[in-house]
Amino acid sequence: AQSVTQLGSHVSVSEGALVLLRCNYSSSVPPYLFWYVQYPNQGLQLLLKYTTGATLVKGINGFEAEFKKSETSFHLTKPSAHMSDAAEYFCAVSPFNFGNEKLTFGTGTRLTIIP
Amino acid sequence: DSGVTQTPKHLITATGQRVTLRCSPRSGDLSVYWYQQSLDQGLQFLIQYYNGEERAKGNILERFSAQQFPDLHSELNLSSLELGDSALYFCASSVAKVGYNEQFFGPGTRLTVL
């Protein structure tokens, strides 16, 4: 079974400050890892994904995440927060095998940007 | 715009009723997934179809069923609705081929059961 834990249901940062959203996963098989963003009254948009290869992955809107197997973590960062980053962020995991691609989501982190 | 379409956007109905939610995947995607997002349960995987066949099942109630048609669109049927079924229902699609599993989400259908 796979699971995801997102530390902090609410995070507030000042505009221009570093954004750090934490995600830890549990998986008995090598995982695929994802970060999705959900703006109010909208669907989920993929920010970035880790499948294999380079452990530091870059996504859209200046976000990046680093896969650390030893820490079972996949934290999301952005060097400088922008007002438009205010949204809910979900970390997700899926198995690394064809035929079972369901996403297991964390409980989400609501990011607030302080002007 | 992800390329995944869902209809209707909003649905208000009464307890005990039955509704059908529709999803059209991105062009070329063979796999469709249904997820439920509620305040109580968060985002939960319900069911996956691949090229017309059921591929995986999650926490889907027996009152709920789904199918994928030859043109690859999918429908999620919810029956004997209860207040607790009020939620946002998302459809996602992917090519679902070996080594690649990026799911693209539709805008969702917000179901309100009164």
Side-chain angles (χ1 to χ4, degrees):
Chain A
Q2 299 185 310
S3 66
V4 172
T5 301
Q6 290 185 240
L7 297 174
S9 58
H10 291 85
V11 170
S12 296
V13 301
S14 297
E15 191 175 13
L18 171 72
V19 175
L20 170 60
L21 304 183
R22 300 178 187 273
C23 172
N24 288 89
Y25 70 91
S26 171
S27 178
S28 57
V29 297
Y32 286 159
L33 292 160
F34 306 82
W35 276 99
Y36 281 86
V37 61
Q38 185 178 26
Y39 298 101
N41 300 314
Q42 293 190 26
L44 295 157
Q45 180 182 13
L46 181 67
L47 276 178
L48 48 79
K49 64 181 184 288
Y50 169 78
T51 54
T52 58
T55 56
L56 182 63
V57 293
K58 296 186 184 299
I60 62 172
N61 302 337
F63 285 94
E64 63 183 36
E66 187 170 11
F67 171 63
K68 292 188 177 180
K69 185 178 178 180
S70 61
E71 298 176 9
T72 60
S73 69
F74 190 57
H75 302 330
L76 181 71
T77 60
K78 181 174 180 177
S80 177
H82 192 272
M83 295 301 294
S84 61
D85 295 327
E88 186 139 24
Y89 293 79
F90 292 92
C91 181
V93 63
S94 80
F96 187 87
N97 61 298
F98 182 59
N100 179 11
E101 304 96 18
K102 71 169 190 177
L103 290 170
T104 299
F105 287 91
T107 50
T109 298
R110 184 169 300 278
L111 177 64
T112 301
I113 310 298
I114 304 165
Chain B
D1 185 355
S2 66
V4 178
T5 60
Q6 289 187 248
T7 56
K9 284 190 176 179
H10 301 278
L11 202 46
I12 302 174
T13 188
T15 54
Q17 295 299 305
R18 172 189 171 95
V19 297
T20 298
L21 313 184
R22 182 188 170 100
C23 168
S24 293
R26 292 187 321 153
S27 177
D29 284 357
L30 297 180
S31 211
V32 169
Y33 312 78
W34 286 97
Y35 293 87
Q36 179 195 58
Q37 184 178 33
S38 67
L39 289 176
D40 292 343
Q41 303 292 330
L43 263 165
Q44 283 198 107
F45 168 73
L46 295 178
I47 198 165
Q48 177 197 0
Y49 277 81
Y50 176 79
N51 203 19
E53 301 285 329
E54 181 183 304
R55 162 99 23 120
K57 232 172 182 176
N59 296 327
I60 187 166
L61 299 171
E62 285 191 10
R63 300 184 284 109
F64 296 1
S65 64
Q67 53 185 328
Q68 186 178 27
F69 295 86
D71 67 351
L72 300 178
H73 91 272
S74 177
E75 292 181 356
L76 178 67
N77 299 295
L78 315 177
S79 62
S80 302
L81 285 168
E82 302 175 358
L83 296 177
D85 298 327
S86 295
L88 197 48
Y89 291 85
F90 287 110
C91 165
S93 73
S94 78
V95 296
K97 60 184 181 184
V98 175
Y100 186 81
N101 180 24
E102 181 171 339
Q103 295 181 26
F104 295 85
F105 282 76
T109 293
R110 183 170 295 280
L111 173 66
T112 303
V113 182
L114 301 176

